[in-house]
Amino acid sequence: MNLTPFIKKDGSISLYLQLYHYFRDEIEHGRLKVGIKLPSIRQLSQTLNISRNTVETAYQQLVAEGYVESKEKSGLYVLELDDFRKEQSKMPKDAPKTTLRPDPRHVIDFQYGDIELDRFPLKVWKKCVVEAMENPIQEVFSYGEKQAILV
């Protein structure tokens, strides 16, 4: 099978994303069948004249999202899509997207660095830090137990 995606090297979308989108779309639309082996990182990077890191990043994203699986010393293989992805792939690309509007009563900002200092429990935090530092030094700098016991 000859897979040669078209990559715009001067485009506004990064190369790894273009590559990732190409393979994702090929899998979702059934043009890449379950069990098909993807080209090796080295082979595809040479064919497209792009870095191996770019190909590897795209492939890692496909693995992370469950489109392909890596078999040790064998390569990457297309997986069967789960029911959610099957439904998503059937939807037309120009279908209106629904957006959820969060209930303002339940919005929590998890962005790093945006601490509301007037609401932050600084005294409690300081107490916890001091208490943690009073433990034997080895415990402070280790990861702790490898297995947690749930009660």
Side-chain angles (χ1 to χ4, degrees):
M1 167 173 263
N2 184 15
L3 293 172
T4 312
F6 177 73
I7 302 292
K8 287 183 172 180
K9 293 187 179 178
D10 59 348
S12 61
I13 300 174
S14 67
L15 296 176
Y16 92 89
L17 273 178
Q18 291 179 54
L19 196 57
Y20 156 76
H21 286 293
Y22 169 79
F23 282 111
R24 185 193 66 191
D25 291 344
E26 293 295 300
I27 293 167
E28 285 182 347
H29 291 96
R31 293 184 289 269
L32 282 178
K33 304 290 183 202
V34 174
I36 294 290
K37 182 179 179 182
L38 296 186
S40 72
I41 293 170
R42 177 172 286 155
Q43 176 189 358
L44 193 57
S45 69
Q46 288 174 347
T47 301
L48 298 176
N49 197 26
I50 59 177
S51 80
R52 286 187 291 194
N53 286 342
T54 299
V55 177
E56 186 172 5
T57 303
Y59 279 2
Q60 285 175 350
Q61 188 64 37
L62 291 166
V63 169
E65 293 183 15
Y67 288 100
V68 298
E69 72 175 333
S70 176
K71 293 184 180 176
E72 192 172 338
K73 297 184 182 182
S74 179
L76 292 166
Y77 294 85
V78 176
L79 291 173
E80 183 173 355
L81 296 180
D82 58 23
D83 293 336
F84 174 76
R85 286 196 181 87
K86 285 179 186 175
E87 290 302 313
Q88 291 290 94
S89 66
K90 291 178 187 174
M91 294 180 68
K93 293 293 181 191
D94 57 349
K97 303 220 186 298
T98 59
T99 57
L100 296 175
R101 294 198 178 138
D103 182 342
R105 296 173 298 159
H106 302 293
V107 174
I108 299 172
D109 183 3
F110 288 102
Q111 183 170 341
Y112 177 75
D114 291 342
I115 298 172
E116 293 183 39
L117 295 175
D118 57 322
R119 300 180 72 194
F120 185 78
L122 188 59
K123 288 182 181 179
V124 174
W125 182 75
K126 282 181 180 180
K127 180 182 174 198
C128 291
V129 169
V130 169
E131 188 177 302
M133 296 303 290
E134 287 176 350
N135 289 326
I137 196 72
Q138 184 60 33
E139 288 181 31
V140 172
F141 293 108
S142 68
Y143 286 108
E145 295 296 322
K146 293 180 184 173
Q147 295 181 341
I149 299 172
L150 300 176
V151 283

